[in-house]
Amino acid sequence: MKITTLRINYNGNTETIFREFFAPLQRDYASLYFYRWRLHRSWENGPHFNVDLDTDDAFFGQDTLEILNKRILSFLITHPSPDVDVPHYLDKQIKLKAIEASDMDPDWIHTNNSYTLHTSDAATLATRYESLTQWESIFETEINLRPHIIAQWQRDSQHKQYLTQLLTLLACTMPPFPSSEADIHEYNGFLSFYANYRFWHHTLPEAQQEKIQQKFDGDYSLDEVTVLGQLRQLIQALHDREESRVSLASLMRDSFLHFMRLAHAGEIHERSPYPRASLKPQNQLSPFHQRLFYTESGQAKTFVPTFVAYRWLLNIIYRNLPLFDTPPIARQYFNFSLDRIQKDHAEMVRTVRESMLQA
């Protein structure tokens, strides 16, 4: 598969770029029967968006590129973004590079309000993964996710309710089963939210751990009634066959079923996209994660295919949260609050799961 990538160096104004560039581009491409493209947002070497196009598609042609060039040039002229504070950004980039073990040049930032086009192939883009199949599964899922992201920006620029419903549907794709752990009622998709929160929380200084816990507890007390109302709306929308929510539920469900086939075939595993042996030493993990990932004899645990498939889907959804202007602290609060919702309102969650499976 050959890929052409448009890199748009753009500092903020997310609502503007979705409304004035991505949405019109999607309409243009649909008129040409070209649907095989995806969006991605990243910070490396400056804030930017990537548009990846499958140039092997039968409907890709010179007109596809001409539309892309014409649209992006016009957009950057008419809707330029604010200048980047380069010294501040370079300092942040060095810190992010250390966290993510990126191999980029930390001293380089692309010129803001510019763009580049380059070509590659799937094999090159897949080098960070264990197989081409892993990369293709991400590419295909993000192609399917892209129209939902663009549609949400056209409906609203405030995404808290949408992400609450999206992440709840995501968690409900994993069939629950009983747990042998005394402090875990059952293994389900919401357990990963708790695990993600605990993994991050454990790395904070003790005083900050307490501060964050108090803040999130207070925020949850204020949000609980609202979130329950949003989940009732989701259930009603699925029962009423409301197109956007049924389509979103189908995407979660169908992606999970596809990843189940990959899990059974051994193409993905519980630690994908990292190597199967990639696991922190037991003594560096929180007590919860030590029990979750290691046996009593100190061996790394293996997990059932349903968990493998679900974690692969969760990783893809999390990878796309920056497209919704969701900062890391907000992602951690989603982890915290949705874990609390499923513990405090298990019946509501069961109803969401049943509605999703029947939609």
Side-chain angles (χ1 to χ4, degrees), residues 67-133:
I67 286 173
L68 187 65
N69 273 298
K70 182 178 179 180
R71 281 254 176 226
I72 189 55
L73 183 59
S74 173
F75 172 77
L76 291 175
I77 292 172
T78 55
H79 301 285
S81 62
D83 292 336
V84 178
D85 182 343
V86 174
H88 175 75
Y89 199 89
L90 285 172
D91 181 60
K92 182 173 73 171
Q93 184 164 270
I94 291 170
K95 294 175 182 176
L96 289 170
K97 179 182 185 299
I99 292 171
E100 297 193 5
S102 170
D103 59 358
M104 67 168 188
D105 178 357
D107 298 319
W108 167 253
I109 292 183
H110 286 262
T111 303
N112 189 40
N113 296 315
S114 65
Y115 72 95
T116 57
L117 274 171
H118 67 272
T119 60
S120 186
D121 56 62
T124 301
L125 295 173
T127 52
R128 64 166 291 190
Y129 302 98
E130 292 181 315
S131 68
L132 185 60
T133 301

Side-chain angles (χ1 to χ4, degrees), residues 18 22-23 26 35 37-39 140-156 159 162-163 165-166 169 238 242-255 317 320 323-324:
F18 270 95
F22 292 135
Q26 182 168 255
Y35 297 96
W37 60 286
R38 67 172 180 177
L39 303 177
E140 298 295 335
T141 305
E142 290 182 341
I143 286 175
N144 294 328
L145 188 60
R146 179 250 310 149
H148 293 273
I149 295 172
I150 293 176
Q152 171 57 21
W153 274 102
Q154 291 176 283
R155 286 190 294 264
D156 191 6
H159 306 299
Y162 182 78
L163 290 175
Q165 295 183 350
L166 169 65
L169 289 171
L238 294 173
E242 194 272 312
E243 182 180 0
S244 67
R245 291 305 181 262
V246 169
S247 179
L248 190 63
S250 298
L251 173 61
M252 295 296 104
R253 184 185 61 228
D254 295 347
S255 297
I317 297 300
N320 282 273
L323 289 168
F324 292 105

Side-chain angles (χ1 to χ4, degrees), residues 166-177:
L166 169 65
L167 293 173
T168 300
L169 289 171
L170 166 67
C172 286
T173 59
M174 179 179 168
F177 60 96

Side-chain angles (χ1 to χ4, degrees), residues 177-187 291 301:
F177 60 96
S179 168
S180 59
E181 296 282 345
D183 58 343
I184 300 174
H185 172 62
E186 65 182 11
Y187 290 110
R291 297 196 310 275
K301 287 184 179 178

